[in-house]
Amino acid sequence: MAGTRVKARGESLFAERFAVFAEALLTGVWIAVASLGVVTYPAAFAAGARHLRRRIAHEGGGLRAFAADFRTALRRGWLVGLAGWAAAVAVWVDVQAARAGIPGGPLAGAVGVVALIALVVAGLRAAAVWEPGARWRTLLAHAGRRTVLDPAGSFLLVGGLAVMPLSAWFATPLAIPVLGAVAAAAVAVEERYRHR
């Protein structure tokens, strides 16, 4: 039953951590499928992160719980996804203007790219702590603060995001399960920040 505590199976620490890693890779597939709606990626990451938090806490869950969380997160999460794409387009236009030789363009392009990376990190951090009933605006505001106040955690997430294109370059299908590893990294970064 979802939300109930599942008794630990007495497995070794290595086996338990490997099981969490395997669950993260499976969750990456779920996130990828749920993100096919283009603006659904924040809700998909939120549902994936919540699923991984349940798995780490040895609580029940699974695909049905992920789907229920995804539907709940999508109610307002699609607006966050739309805003994310708008920001990406704005940065793309900014970079194109910089490449065209506009005075001050390289600086503006660099600032735009750094701002977009910070927005992505804040979005991941917000998704990592999402719960049903949480307001995305509040989550993003608090995540933005944590992104600045916890630069080490933010850089860890940037590194996790860098693994995705590297995985795709190495073997394209690997980029899909790596989405779950990025969600797991966001959960870990938030847990680390909470226990500081």
Side-chain angles (χ1 to χ4, degrees), residues 2 7 13-14 22 37 42-43 53 61 65 67 75-76 90 93 109 117 126 135 143 162 173 182-183 189 191 194:
K7 187 178 180 197
L13 184 61
F14 175 76
R53 288 195 320 264
R75 290 189 187 124
R76 293 278 183 230
V93 169
I117 291 169
R135 296 188 58 196
V182 171
V189 163
E191 278 297 306
R194 194 167 64 86

Side-chain angles (χ1 to χ4, degrees), residues 12 18 23-24 34 43-44 48 55 63 68 78 83 90 109 119 124 127 140 143 146 151 156 172:
S12 71
F18 186 77
E23 193 72 26
R55 172 62 177 91
L63 183 56
W78 72 271
L119 285 173
L124 283 171
L140 288 167
R146 289 190 307 274
L156 284 171
T172 304

Side-chain angles (χ1 to χ4, degrees), residues 18-155:
F18 186 77
V20 171
F21 175 69
E23 193 72 26
L25 297 181
L26 175 62
T27 303
V29 174
W30 295 351
I31 291 170
V33 170
S35 296
L36 289 175
V38 181
V39 296
T40 59
Y41 64 90
F45 270 98
R50 187 154 191 256
H51 170 73
L52 291 171
R53 288 195 320 264
R54 279 194 301 263
R55 172 62 177 91
I56 292 166
H58 298 288
E59 295 176 359
L63 183 56
R64 286 185 184 195
F66 172 87
D69 285 340
F70 173 69
R71 285 191 300 275
T72 303
L74 191 58
R75 290 189 187 124
R76 293 278 183 230
W78 72 271
L79 291 169
V80 177
L82 187 63
W85 282 113
V89 167
V91 169
W92 181 81
V93 169
D94 195 32
V95 168
Q96 295 307 313
R99 295 174 96 191
I102 294 176
L107 177 62
V111 168
V113 169
V114 169
L116 182 62
I117 291 169
L119 285 173
V120 170
V121 169
L124 283 171
R125 293 184 86 135
V129 297
W130 176 87
E131 292 284 342
R135 296 188 58 196
W136 279 100
R137 181 178 294 195
T138 304
L139 289 173
L140 288 167
H142 292 299
R145 283 188 210 99
R146 289 190 307 274
T147 298
V148 173
L149 295 175
D150 180 25
S154 298
F155 284 122

Side-chain angles (χ1 to χ4, degrees), residues 155-180:
F155 284 122
L156 284 171
L157 286 178
V158 170
L161 289 168
V163 169
M164 285 177 24
L166 291 173
S167 298
W169 174 74
F170 180 69
T172 304
L174 283 179
I176 293 172
V178 167
L179 290 170

